[in-house]
Amino acid sequence: MTLSSDDLKTKLKYLKANITLTDLDNYLRLQRVLCWSTDAYDSAQRAKGLEFAQKQLNAEIIKQSPETFADLKLCRAWFYQVAGNVDLALNEYNQVIAQAYQLESPRLIADARGLRGAIYSFQGNYALALEDLYSAQQLYDDLNLAFWSRYNLAEIATSYRRFGDPHTAYKYYAKLEAKFIETGDLESATDMVTEMAIALEELGENEAALKKHLQSYRYWQQEKDELAQSFVAINLAGILIKLGRLDEVQKYLDEAQKHVLPTDEAFYSFMMLFRAQFQLLQGQPIAAIPLIEEAKSAFLRVKNTRGLTQLYMLESQVFAALFQWEHAYHSLEHFNQLHNELDIKLQTHRTAEMQTRFNTKQVETENLLLLETQQIKEHELQILQQNRYLQFTVIFLAIIVIIVISLFAYKQAQKSKLFSTLALTDHLTKLANRRHAYTVGEQAFSENHDVMALILFDADHFKKINDNFGHNIGDKTLISLANIASDLMRKSDLVGRVGGEEFLVILPHTNLEQATEIAERLVDSIAMTDLSDIAQELTMTISAGVAAREQDRNFSELLQRADKGLYLAKSSGRNCVKSG
């Protein structure tokens, strides 16, 4: 059941008047509810919400409750995100997620990873987005939090749309709309209608998209929600421009201009972009230039690469209309650069999705451990509450509790050790997983200021192995490859699995010549390995890219050069080593 705004205010007012510090547990819960009930999209309310969150985070009583403190910090990060302070929000989300895992709080982990995943999706970091959103989805489903499960599923659908699968996204949105209508949540159902309109737009079905946008627009108009109505008005302007119905565009842009502020950056950026596009189509390219600059600033603040790509194409067209060919060329260069970056991300989204699904068992195991811990904590809380009414048995129960806690602490230590190992290890090959390998690489890069090298390699034609012998044989082949690579390396080196059949070797204190020799030895060893014990007639080769630290500013640049080397090795016939 979804409360109306007025009902929510009434109930919160009653709770504030009747819950005091004498009822500490409910008082702490109330502070969290008060923070999250603030309308973050209203700039005045958001400012009050930030002030409230900061005040509570400074209070000693809040600091004594780690879970309350972490949840209020998450709430504050959400306000930062809506205000456009994306870097600040991401930093706090990372901190809260680390705290939530220490607290072993499934709900807090789900909330924080869901919010962080939504930011990653908006920015175009699809691999990280899927990893967070799938983990959050699993937890919401296990916790039977139906509303939040649907809300998170909508973010997953939006990620599908953003990485080039609007058809699948539309199916998700349609099912979610029906479910929201069934539960009486018409606002969320209308949000799904808007998302369906955007998916239709990306499928090229502009007339159908226009009908959906108008459906959302009329709903918010009926509800007298001017801000939400203005957000949809921006979408309407964009689709009308595509349909060439320019006589209707100005009306919606003017309406949005009254209510959408620069602090509403996600919508403000596109509003200014569409205003610039409208000016160009009206034959006024000079008037479009300051509007493009406004949009560019907003897109850069929220790091919206997809929006910037559209903007640079429009900017190129504006300069071309003004015969400023050099500026037009530079804008087109920016467009191509960003477009290529998005293409790379889109090419890796399938691998990211498969890897995330591949790790489903690991996620389920982690989540079951978290849920089991939460159930134990809830049970302990019930015992403590009952103790207030059973004073004559307090000493006896205290002894029992001490014994239970001792056993629980021992079990928790074992679980924590297992949990830590699972978080850092690829469960098939037992090597370091991608996140752990990248973390070690970044640390080695910052510590080793002189010599360091990387080997990035993967199995040649691995798909044929899966197709000809089956995925079970493919898995055994990967395990064999991992074992060979590990045996050839020094104790100071680290071998990690960073993709389906892709591996990374980190070589501290190693120059390019040494790394190339190691890589060539690895390539030869794999090629000569007898795999008949796995399957008859099975052979395997690898291609490797090598890079040693030179003028690289960070680990990412060094890794990128190794990746170029791998690409060169692939294009040079495979079963060889190339430096990047």
Side-chain angles (χ1 to χ4, degrees), residues 8-22:
L8 179 61
K9 289 178 182 177
T10 300
K11 290 183 181 297
L12 287 176
K13 184 177 180 181
Y14 173 81
L15 292 172
K16 286 171 69 176
N18 289 276
I19 295 178
T20 64
L21 278 170
T22 55

Side-chain angles (χ1 to χ4, degrees), residues 79-310:
F79 293 146
Y80 287 149
Q81 177 184 340
V82 176
N85 297 321
V86 177
D87 288 337
L88 195 55
L90 270 176
N91 183 52
E92 293 228 325
Y93 286 155
N94 292 337
Q95 293 177 25
V96 172
I97 289 169
Q99 293 166 2
Y101 273 107
Q102 288 178 351
L103 295 168
E104 296 181 323
S105 171
R107 174 62 192 273
L108 195 55
I109 292 170
D111 289 343
R113 295 196 71 171
L115 287 169
R116 187 176 70 176
I119 282 190
Y120 284 146
S121 174
F122 179 76
Q123 293 180 335
N125 295 323
Y126 303 121
L128 295 177
L130 285 174
E131 190 174 342
D132 273 343
L133 291 171
Y134 276 139
S135 293
Q137 191 67 33
Q138 180 72 40
L139 284 169
Y140 283 136
D141 290 341
D142 289 341
L143 292 166
N144 294 317
L145 296 171
F147 174 82
W148 293 109
S149 176
R150 289 192 290 271
Y151 183 86
N152 190 76
L153 189 59
E155 289 292 350
I156 292 176
T158 298
S159 294
Y160 274 108
R161 175 176 62 76
R162 285 169 175 160
F163 61 52
D165 191 1
H167 188 265
T168 298
Y170 187 90
K171 291 180 181 178
Y172 275 118
Y173 293 141
K175 290 180 181 179
L176 286 166
E177 181 203 12
K179 197 66 181 177
F180 281 128
I181 291 174
E182 180 185 328
T183 58
D185 187 357
L186 298 183
E187 287 192 5
S188 296
T190 303
D191 289 338
M192 294 304 99
V193 171
T194 299
E195 295 293 350
M196 282 191 281
I198 297 172
L200 286 168
E201 194 173 338
E202 294 182 1
L203 286 166
E205 300 180 22
N206 294 330
E207 290 290 352
L210 178 61
K211 290 180 181 178
K212 290 290 184 184
H213 280 313
L214 285 171
Q215 180 183 340
S216 296
Y217 180 82
R218 292 183 187 117
Y219 173 83
W220 295 118
Q221 192 175 46
Q222 180 182 338
E223 294 296 311
K224 295 181 170 45
D225 189 330
E226 293 180 332
L227 184 60
Q229 184 180 331
S230 296
F231 291 161
V232 179
I234 295 170
N235 294 330
L236 278 168
I239 194 68
L240 287 168
I241 288 173
K242 286 185 177 180
L243 289 168
R245 292 163 58 171
L246 301 184
D247 54 326
E248 302 173 57
V249 172
Q250 187 73 52
K251 163 193 165 185
Y252 291 111
L253 287 176
D254 288 346
E255 178 186 327
Q257 186 82 33
K258 296 176 184 176
H259 305 287
V260 179
L261 303 175
T263 50
D264 303 309
E265 284 158 316
F267 295 95
Y268 181 80
S269 53
F270 279 100
M271 179 180 72
M272 302 310 289
L273 178 67
F274 294 150
R275 285 178 67 85
Q277 192 173 1
F278 178 71
Q279 291 296 333
L280 176 63
L281 292 171
Q282 291 290 94
Q284 300 179 37
I286 293 177
I289 292 177
L291 298 172
I292 286 177
E293 290 303 316
E294 276 288 307
K296 187 185 298 183
S297 296
F299 281 131
L300 288 170
R301 283 194 293 272
V302 294
K303 298 185 177 179
N304 186 345
T305 305
R306 295 174 299 108
L308 280 170
T309 304
Q310 296 179 45

Side-chain angles (χ1 to χ4, degrees), residues 330-366:
H330 287 314
S331 298
L332 198 57
E333 273 192 324
H334 285 306
F335 166 80
N336 287 330
Q337 180 184 349
L338 291 179
H339 198 274
N340 289 337
E341 289 177 7
L342 284 175
D343 281 347
I344 292 170
K345 290 176 180 177
L346 292 175
Q347 289 166 9
T348 60
H349 85 270
R350 290 296 179 193
T351 301
E353 182 186 3
M354 290 179 65
Q355 184 173 356
T356 305
R357 293 183 182 277
F358 185 71
N359 291 332
T360 297
K361 286 296 181 184
Q362 177 182 331
V363 172
E364 288 179 354
T365 301
E366 294 172 355

Side-chain angles (χ1 to χ4, degrees), residues 426-444:
D426 172 66
H427 84 279
L428 176 68
T429 63
K430 309 308 177 187
L431 298 177
N433 62 19
R434 181 187 62 188
R435 176 167 289 183
H436 183 44
Y438 285 5
T439 299
V440 171
E442 289 170 352
Q443 183 178 354

Side-chain angles (χ1 to χ4, degrees), residues 489-494:
M489 301 305 155
R490 304 165 300 186
K491 289 184 178 180
S492 59
D493 303 332
L494 181 129

